[in-house]
Amino acid sequence: MVDMTTRFFEDLDRRGFEPLLVKTSGTLRFDLHEGAQTTHWLLEIDRGNLRVRQEDGEADTVVGTGPRLFGALVDGEENAIAALLRGDMTVVGDLRLVLEIERLFPGPPGSRGPHHAFARRVA
């Protein structure tokens, strides 16, 4: 079974282009820490064109958090900016990219706004 985080990144890669990011370019690496193990996701954005790889590559911005919190972000149960302000998520590099990518996470159930709807699929 594929977890929500993997589905989220696979969906971004399949999408290929995201209109909400048409004015954005840069690379973000998400480091999901669980004990001694870290899973890396590298997201490249070129004026809305998206490419995702599961690797530990160089990035303009590195976001660090736990897989449970990241799962809550992609599920709409948690807000990235709130998690950052609480210290549950770290950012090294260009914070602007985090603010841009945050719009791709779904909002809480029933919310309205520019957040992208992430469809939950059952495997």
Side-chain angles (χ1 to χ4, degrees):
M1 184 173 134
V2 177
D3 66 3
M4 289 295 290
T5 297
T6 302
R7 284 185 199 273
F8 174 77
F9 285 114
E10 287 176 350
D11 181 59
L12 287 181
D13 195 48
R14 258 191 313 277
R15 196 178 310 164
F17 178 76
E18 175 51 61
L20 290 173
L21 300 176
V22 73
K23 295 181 180 180
T24 304
S25 292
T27 54
L28 290 104
R29 190 179 74 225
F30 295 87
D31 292 348
L32 307 182
H33 309 289
E34 187 165 37
Q37 183 178 354
T38 300
T39 303
H40 307 281
W41 290 93
L42 186 65
L43 172 61
E44 298 173 351
I45 306 167
D46 181 15
R47 295 180 310 250
N49 294 300
L50 307 176
R51 181 174 179 217
V52 178
R53 293 175 285 163
Q54 193 170 1
E55 68 179 54
D56 182 12
E58 290 290 319
D60 300 318
T61 304
V62 178
V63 177
T65 192
R68 182 172 291 158
L69 175 60
F70 195 83
L73 292 171
V74 301
D75 204 22
E77 297 172 6
E78 186 63 67
N79 177 279
I81 304 306
L84 182 61
L85 292 173
R86 283 193 315 269
D88 293 338
M89 190 167 75
T90 61
V91 174
V92 176
D94 189 353
L95 180 60
R96 176 190 58 85
L97 289 174
V98 175
L99 299 175
E100 293 289 330
I101 196 74
E102 191 270 338
R103 299 185 308 163
L104 298 183
F105 296 125
S111 68
R112 298 179 188 190
H115 288 81
H116 199 286
F118 175 64
R120 192 186 268 186
R121 288 177 248 159
V122 178

